[in-house]
Amino acid sequence: MSFEVGAAVAVVLIVFAALLAVLKFMKSKGLSFTVRVFSALGMGIVLGVAIQLALGRGSDAAKCALDWMSLVGTGYISLLKMLVMPLIFVAIVGAFTRTEATENLGKIGISVLAVLLGTVAIAAVFGWATIALSGLAGADFTQGTVDASKMDALQTRSDKVADTTIPQTILSFIPTNVFSDLAGTRSTSTIAVVIFSALVGLAYLKLRNRDSEQADFFRRIIDSLYGIVMCIVKMVIGLTPYGVMALIANVMATSDFAAIVDLGKFIIFSYVAIIAMFFVHLIILAANRVNPVTYLKKAFPVLSFAFVSRTSAGALPMNIETQSKALGVDEATANFAASFGMSIGQNGCAGIYPAMMATLIAPTVGINVFDPTWVVMLIAIIVISSFGVAGVGGGATFASLIVLGTMGLPIEIVGLMASVEPLIDMGRTALNVSDSMVAGVTSANVNKTLDREMFANPEARISGAAAEE
């Protein structure tokens, strides 16, 4: 490394360290978690743009500086990924151990899944419609070239699902080695852990009817595990402002601004579809006779966290807490809805985005995107493939590869969108979290367990700071 490169890297890292210190100072002064996270977002944007303008996109100095900064950004994401499987396990099993009315569990599961899968189908329609009706289907930018390294990575992931039929995909959800799935070794490990956790919960209910002493001992173990995992989660969430700043700085420093301008129309229509789905969520809430405005006020802390962190898994504890302590959802339903929504029926990552990708590229291989048969097939495949989409980064890419591969469409479009995907992912993640909370409220209302007094009480709410206490 030359002296000039080393000096440039040192300057960037000194500035980065100073900004981290500013965020720490803001916390010591009692500024709210939400204010600090959005401040980190702004700092990251400015720092990333400055790095690209001063050092050049892809320069040795920029790469070296970002590599060191990844200790904070990528390290934060790695910690969140570490928590995904433990979170799913303790949340779902805890839902069984915390409920007394066992006859409601089946109703809870069915109603939650009905909302998640029904809304992901609607999201797929919106994703298709925004591209088909905007004239972007088959647009010139779909004919662009993809970096060879990115294409190789996409091809590797695509090959894993290319020869898998729908029945085989469904069979892959069943855990054959739970320890392997807890380690996340398969693309369907998340849904496999959901299934295993539900089986453990059902076994607990049977044990409770047969041997209450053993069941009580198991319940105390799960309660202890739940408490430990949630403490770890809160420690990790406390790192969010620092992680967000590093991640956004990396995105801005490595983004091709020209590509972002070229794909600006796609970004706009992506958010059109996302906002349209948010309105669907509000309509569903209104149909449940709850005030959509009150919901938005109470859900804002967790939705804003999901937006800037881009992780449904990291938002899981705040999601559960918001449902059970602010929205009036009973604890069992809140745990089910938040956990299922993290891996099943994600409206943004598994619904809107794959539908947009398929509709964008379909005309280039001679497909009429207004063909009703093709549209129905697209929606059906999206609903089925929405099972098992991971809650931390990369879920939308994986879902898109499954849909494109199943429908025989080129996968290059996924690589072409890589430069703008992080910008869209922020809105998608917030939509995913909202969907799970709407499922929780709907299920609680259907099963007559919704605490409407808590929902209407303006004092019953959580703040972002509660997540890191």
Side-chain angles (χ1 to χ4, degrees):
M1 182 187 298
S2 68
F3 175 78
E4 291 79 5
V5 171
V9 171
V11 170
V12 170
L13 294 181
I14 290 171
V15 172
F16 179 62
L19 292 176
L20 292 176
V22 169
L23 290 172
K24 180 68 175 176
F25 178 76
M26 292 171 68
K27 181 180 181 179
S28 69
K29 289 299 181 182
L31 289 174
S32 73
F33 180 78
T34 302
V35 168
R36 286 184 284 122
V37 168
F38 277 99
S39 297
L41 180 67
M43 292 177 186
I45 292 172
V46 173
L47 179 60
V49 171
I51 290 173
Q52 182 167 156
L53 294 178
L55 304 182
R57 176 169 169 262
S59 67
D60 290 341
K63 288 180 179 178
C64 185
L66 293 174
D67 192 34
W68 280 101
M69 289 167 59
S70 70
L71 288 173
V72 177
T74 305
Y76 169 69
I77 292 298
S78 296
L79 289 172
L80 288 175
K81 288 182 177 180
M82 171 191 73
L83 289 166
V84 173
M85 298 309 182
L87 273 171
I88 292 174
F89 181 77
V90 299
I92 293 179
V93 177
F96 284 89
T97 60
R98 285 175 169 78
T99 185
E100 297 297 328
T102 57
E103 67 273 8
N104 284 338
L105 288 174
K107 295 178 182 178
I108 291 171
I110 291 172
S111 53
V112 166
L113 286 175
V115 174
L116 293 174
L117 297 181
T119 53
V120 82
I122 297 171
V125 172
F126 283 155
W128 163 80
T130 51
I131 298 299
L133 300 178
S134 66
L136 283 180
D140 290 342
F141 62 76
T142 62
Q143 305 297 324
T145 57
V146 184
D147 179 80
S149 60
K150 289 182 180 178
M151 194 61 226
D152 288 343
L154 286 174
Q155 192 63 55
T156 300
R157 296 186 69 177
S158 179
D159 289 343
K160 293 180 180 179
V161 298
D163 299 324
T164 305
T165 64
I166 291 178
Q168 289 172 340
T169 300
I170 295 173
L171 283 174
S172 71
F173 298 156
I174 301 174
T176 55
N177 183 337
V178 69
F179 297 104
S180 175
D181 285 323
L182 285 169
T185 58
R186 299 189 300 149
S187 59
T188 55
S189 284
T190 306
I191 190 64
V193 172
V194 168
I195 292 172
F196 174 73
S197 303
L199 289 173
V200 171
L202 290 171
Y204 161 80
L205 296 179
K206 289 182 178 294
L207 181 64
R208 188 172 69 179
N209 293 332
R210 200 169 60 238
D211 190 331
S212 60
E213 187 176 339
Q214 284 190 4
D216 188 59
F217 177 70
F218 178 78
R219 179 186 58 77
R220 291 197 301 272
I221 291 175
I222 293 299
D223 286 345
S224 297
L225 284 174
Y226 190 92
I228 290 294
V229 170
M230 288 306 171
C231 283
I232 298 173
V233 167
K234 289 181 179 182
M235 287 190 287
V236 174
I237 287 178
L239 301 175
T240 298
Y242 315 107
V244 164
M245 184 178 71
L247 290 169
I248 295 301
N250 184 281
V251 169
M252 300 308 296
T254 57
S255 292
D256 183 346
F257 294 143
I260 292 175
V261 172
D262 290 342
L263 299 175
K265 205 171 183 182
F266 176 76
I267 298 173
I268 292 171
F269 280 107
S270 294
Y271 274 93
V272 167
I274 290 169
I275 293 170
M277 271 311 300
F278 265 116
F279 276 106
V280 170
H281 291 177
L282 300 182
I283 291 170
I284 293 172
L285 292 168
N288 285 296
R289 295 179 292 111
V290 298
N291 190 324
V293 176
T294 302
Y295 165 79
L296 289 174
K297 290 178 180 178
K298 293 193 170 189
F300 178 76
V302 63
L303 293 180
S304 60
F305 172 81
F307 182 84
V308 296
S309 67
R310 294 172 51 204
T311 164
S312 302
L316 181 61
M318 287 181 69
N319 186 338
I320 295 172
E321 192 173 14
T322 299
Q323 290 190 55
S324 59
K325 296 183 179 179
L327 300 180
V329 177
D330 61 282
E331 200 166 346
T333 303
N335 277 274
F336 268 116
S339 302
F340 283 11
M342 195 177 76
S343 56
I344 299 172
Q346 292 189 349
N347 288 186
C349 292
I352 288 174
Y353 197 67
M356 295 182 78
M357 294 292 99
T359 311
L360 267 174
I361 200 67
T364 65
V365 292
I367 294 175
N368 176 14
V369 296
F370 291 100
D371 180 355
T373 303
W374 185 84
V375 175
V376 170
M377 185 188 304
L378 173 65
I379 295 169
I381 290 173
I382 284 175
V383 171
I384 294 171
S385 67
S386 71
F387 283 81
V389 175
V392 181
T397 298
F398 178 66
S400 297
L401 290 175
I402 292 177
V403 172
L404 294 174
T406 303
M407 301 195 72
L409 297 171
I411 65 171
E412 287 82 359
I413 188 68
V414 179
L416 288 171
M417 296 300 159
S419 59
V420 298
E421 204 266 349
L423 302 177
I424 303 167
D425 193 42
M426 302 170 84
R428 286 194 317 238
T429 306
L431 183 66
N432 295 339
V433 172
S434 175
D435 185 40
S436 64
M437 291 194 290
V438 170
V441 172
T442 302
S443 178
N445 180 53
V446 168
N447 294 296
K448 302 185 180 350
T449 58
L450 183 64
D451 187 342
R452 294 184 178 275
E453 289 185 7
M454 179 188 289
F455 185 93
N457 182 4
E459 300 300 320
R461 60 186 304 163
I462 71 161
S463 65
E468 54 178 351
E469 288 176 354

